[in-house]
Amino acid sequence: MKYSNTVYGYKDGKEVIEYRLVNNQGNVFRCLNYGAVVTAIEIPDRSGQVENVVLGFDHLKDYIKDSPYFGAIVGRVAGRIKDGRWGELQLTKNEGQNHIHGGNQNFSQVVWDSEMITGADYTGVLFTHTSPADDNGYPGNLKVQVTYYWTNDNCWKMKIKAVTDETTLFNPTNHTYFNLSGNVKRTILDHTLQVSSDTFAETDREKCPTGRLLSVEGTPFDFRKPVRIGHAIHKQPSGYDTPFKLTSGFIQLFDDSSGRKLTIQTDREAVVVFSTTGMNEDYLVAGEKMSSHRGIALETQELPDAVHHPQFQSIVIHPGHTYTCQTEYQFSVEDTLS
Ligand code: BGC
């Protein structure tokens, strides 16, 4: 295993470092201490061609200016909180009347402290950040640790820990957009997606959950068996920006043309699937304008807007308790989907 780090730029007078982790197979995982952003995961296809399978930019200025949370850790709370209200508390309203992804200067937009770590079968990076009390209206000084491990068998493991000194909210995610075709040479419409989910959260016009969990049975939201994403979107033309409640924490993405497979295993309650349908941006990703279906974000988290829906898992955390969660992203190559 090898690793190196280089200065990628500066933000708020702080050095932004890019870590390059190389496993025993020669496959590369790159990430920044800015937003704990995963900038690249370079793995082989069926013929051995090594290419990047996540969306990202080439320069820090693009991450700062344009990023729709490419590769980043999102928090304190991922997704929307209706009216930015938690009881008597008013959180920043940074999307119309609602709060989204932790507000302004959230976890994705700050430089984290970081250090390299190594173990018997991995190299990794430990990121730490303290979000001060009243950050975007949230109570409590919240100390967060995010650890990325890149293992010799092409698994990216993510562990998150946090402690607070006042009761507060916490529902972090990683917001990587995947495209297994390699270097974004095709859209994700030919990928197949499988999600271990019997129910999804209905959302209103502002994409906030209504509180109703609907059965996937007989709907375009049924991914219990692998479904070609293009086929699903044909039935659901507005695409997916959808919280799925997980039954076993299993999510799988497969690209038959390249043979690349991503198997996600998480201990979180849900995954928000964001298919980028309708995205039409001025910025470039892999040399072309960002548009519909150039990637798919699979955001493991607790169900969004949980503070308004007692039937969703609570995201309240208390002093004296260490919050932990983890998600593993295993990459492999398959002839066919078994
Ligand atoms: C949300 C989308 C949003 C995207 C970028 C996703 O997590 O669900 O609605 O457009 O993040 O902010």
Side-chain angles (χ1 to χ4, degrees):
M1 285 171 296
K2 290 187 291 193
Y3 50 83
S4 56
N5 47 358
T6 49
V7 177
Y8 196 74
Y10 292 86
K11 170 83 173 31
D12 304 331
K14 292 185 188 156
E15 203 169 63
V16 175
I17 298 165
E18 186 176 47
Y19 292 92
R20 185 172 180 275
L21 313 177
V22 188
N23 69 14
N24 281 355
Q25 301 189 49
N27 299 324
V28 176
F29 179 97
R30 291 196 270 148
C31 57
L32 305 177
N33 62 346
Y34 173 73
V37 165
V38 176
T39 47
I41 302 178
E42 297 165 16
I43 48 160
D45 67 4
R46 210 180 266 128
S47 67
Q49 170 102 358
V50 174
E51 290 163 318
N52 181 20
V53 295
V54 303
L55 302 193
F57 294 116
D58 295 332
H59 303 288
L60 179 62
K61 65 174 175 25
D62 301 320
Y63 281 104
I64 292 172
K65 181 167 165 277
D66 286 324
S67 186
Y69 299 88
F70 281 159
I73 290 290
V74 170
R76 297 185 184 194
V77 174
R80 295 169 177 85
I81 297 180
K82 185 99 181 156
D83 300 323
R85 294 297 290 193
W86 176 35
E88 297 301 304
L89 290 176
Q90 181 63 61
L91 310 172
T92 307
K93 294 181 180 180
N94 57 328
E95 190 191 61
Q97 284 306 300
N98 303 320
H99 175 86
I100 186 168
H101 290 338
N104 300 323
Q105 288 302 303
N106 58 54
F107 289 0
S108 314
Q109 293 154 343
V110 296
V111 179
W112 294 56
D113 292 330
S114 56
E115 61 183 272
M116 298 274 328
I117 53 168
T118 55
D121 70 338
Y122 67 82
T123 52
V125 183
L126 167 65
F127 301 98
T128 48
H129 172 61
T130 299
S131 162
D134 204 31
D135 184 352
N136 282 286
Y138 290 103
N141 294 291
L142 182 73
K143 286 190 186 170
V144 185
Q145 272 190 4
V146 173
T147 314
Y148 294 158
Y149 305 84
W150 178 233
T151 74
N152 285 328
D153 67 346
N154 296 337
C155 185
W156 159 34
K157 295 186 186 176
M158 174 176 73
K159 292 190 182 180
I160 303 179
K161 281 188 184 181
V163 288
T164 180
D165 58 7
E166 274 178 79
T167 295
T168 193
L169 301 178
F170 193 47
N171 185 10
T173 193
N174 178 283
H175 210 289
T176 293
Y177 296 69
F178 298 95
N179 182 326
L180 302 179
S181 70
N183 299 345
V184 203
K185 59 176 169 315
R186 292 183 294 273
T187 67
I188 48 98
L189 291 175
D190 277 331
H191 289 28
T192 56
L193 176 67
Q194 188 177 0
V195 183
S196 62
S197 170
D198 296 335
T199 51
F200 66 100
E202 180 185 61
T203 49
D204 65 15
R205 292 173 56 152
E206 295 173 344
K207 300 183 181 171
C208 291
T210 61
R212 295 208 315 155
L213 288 172
L214 306 181
S215 169
V216 300
E217 182 78 43
T219 75
F221 298 88
D222 190 349
F223 289 95
R224 290 174 293 183
K225 296 204 172 84
V227 180
R228 201 175 68 83
I229 294 174
H231 180 73
I233 286 178
H234 188 66
K235 292 193 281 175
Q236 174 63 26
S238 57
Y240 297 87
D241 192 348
T242 308
F244 289 87
K245 185 173 163 124
L246 295 171
T247 51
S248 72
F250 170 87
I251 304 142
Q252 192 162 271
L253 193 63
F254 179 63
D255 175 40
D256 191 37
S257 304
S258 68
R260 294 190 182 99
K261 186 170 90 172
L262 165 62
T263 305
I264 300 178
Q265 191 64 53
T266 185
D267 61 7
R268 310 298 297 276
E269 180 190 26
V271 61
V272 171
V273 173
F274 176 48
S275 61
T276 74
T277 310
M279 267 182 104
N280 190 11
E281 312 295 335
D282 286 334
Y283 56 78
L284 304 182
V285 176
E288 281 178 42
K289 278 178 78 156
M290 181 64 194
S291 55
S292 279
H293 309 136
R294 297 199 75 213
I296 183 167
L298 300 169
E299 311 157 37
T300 59
Q301 58 187 259
E302 273 60 70
L303 284 166
D305 202 28
V307 292
H308 295 124
H309 308 293
Q311 65 277 33
F312 294 179
Q313 188 174 309
S314 170
I315 60 163
V316 177
I317 62 167
H318 301 283
H321 174 78
T322 301
Y323 168 97
T324 61
C325 67
Q326 68 172 46
T327 300
E328 297 188 359
Y329 307 79
Q330 175 72 59
F331 295 92
S332 59
V333 174
E334 307 289 334
D335 284 337
T336 54
L337 200 55
S338 49

